[in-house]
Amino acid sequence: MDTMAFSFKHASCRFCVAAALAVSISACSSPFSPKQTDGANISGGATELSLMFFGDKPEDWDLVVDAFVHQTDSSLHVRLRTEWDSVEDYAKKLMLKLAAGEEMDAVFDASWMSLEKNAAQGYYRNLDSYFGNDAYPGLKAAFPEAFLDANRINGHIYAIPLTQSYHDIEILYIRKDLREEFGMSPIASYDDLRRYFQLVQEKKPEMIPLALKGDRGFFRMFDRSGKMLHYRAAPDAIAGTGIDFALALSEDGKQVLGATTYGDPASYYESLPAPMNNPDDLYASLDSYVKWNAYVQRDVLNERNAAVLFESGKSAAYEGTLSGWNAVRQDLKQSIPGAELEGFAYKTCQREMQAGCIGTDYRAWNNLAIPVTSKHTELVMRFVDWIFQSQEHHDLFELGIEGVHWKSEPDRLFKRLPASSRYVFPAFLLTWNPTLSRIDADSDPEALKLLQYASKASSYYQLPLAGFAFNPLPVKSEIARIQPVATQMLQVFKSGLDPAWRATAAQTNQRLREMGLDRIREELIRQAQSYLDDGGV
């Protein structure tokens, strides 16, 4: 099996070669209170490390932690105390704890959450000295220099980048058994998909054809088919600006020609090269969202967990990512006897598994950071180093106890055992890694092919400004003003709920410009140009 290789050479500033992944797990919990807390009794001078996670605590988490303690009690001599929250509560709680200066040893953060902002505000430790260091052999082996260069913020490592592939392919999960019941061939196009939804409405009127998550919407459905060679735009926009900007570059990639966003006046586009000069081309997907909203649940904006609707048989499809395929299939089959799962990748070149199809900036969108309030930075890094020192150590936390929860298969595959359902760990929180994370041997053949395709470096191309990370501090006040307004607008747009979205965007844009939108635009352009002038790519 082909695996990812870090054979990229970086430019004088930095060159990105890590992965971009944004996976979201939701669980119900009361606001600002941990869903569950676990820990071990401290005895004999052992040090307790406090970790903040989100998602559901695995049923057998304590068994795995006990196995870890047994293996390391004479070396690391640590205990783990973890809090588990829903993703919505987690983000709020993390910000409150950081702002209050509460002591924490390790926390999850990400570009899609608050990583760059928190690093810029000085909340996280600089971890440069722990990587490429012979005293931390696990970190040195699992995080090559090019991988780290992909994830620097202001030239430094402020969080441990966690990823298993360069990109988690977006998938529409579909009920294969229903598709066959309708007499349809496998879905190979959006026209086929529309027909499937129409048949659901006709033959299964009690079902929602397509369940979407309220803060995600259609996400990458109807995404542009062309490559972003001389521009960056949604859904691959630069993070941290409060609203997505499309950045236009010169053909040689040396100059930033402009930055536009939703509802900008026509004059902002006129001087830019195609496709940046045509907002209808940039945002054409929003028209498709409006048309396809007819297949979506009515209360879509309030939906926190579309997977539950699908897995319980209340919807015939839902939007997710490739990495969740096996878990979705398992939950679906347990809930609905005879149900079968299949997936539809949004882009034709991904469905055909073409080389150079997937654009990425190679940044890991999942990270483990150490707050400056931690008194145990070195011990946290030794704990993480232990995880990445060997396949055996890594597998313990990612998959559970070998022989109980899983067993090894050749070519870095693994097979789940009956007890695996008691240890479903959200590995993007702590263990995902391109060289150590395994692929489920029991994956659906279709999913396995896509997973192996996603593991090949040749499947990707580098987006412009790949190593650039925006520093929000110079315009933090402006971002704080515009972000709530922009977020509310875009949630409506992304679910196709506003047929007059062009007029709404124009009106909102005028309001945002009064709040400082152009100041953010200018700062983004300035920082991006400075990055290019310093040799960035």
Side-chain angles (χ1 to χ4, degrees), residues 72-87:
T72 62
D73 214 21
S74 61
S75 53
L76 292 179
H77 209 40
V78 301
R79 304 292 186 267
L80 304 179
R81 178 172 60 83
T82 58
E83 294 182 3
W84 301 80
D85 293 273
S86 73
V87 63

Side-chain angles (χ1 to χ4, degrees), residues 263-277:
D264 272 342
S267 59
Y268 282 54
Y269 294 90
E270 290 172 351
S271 63
L272 301 178
M276 289 286 294
N277 61 341

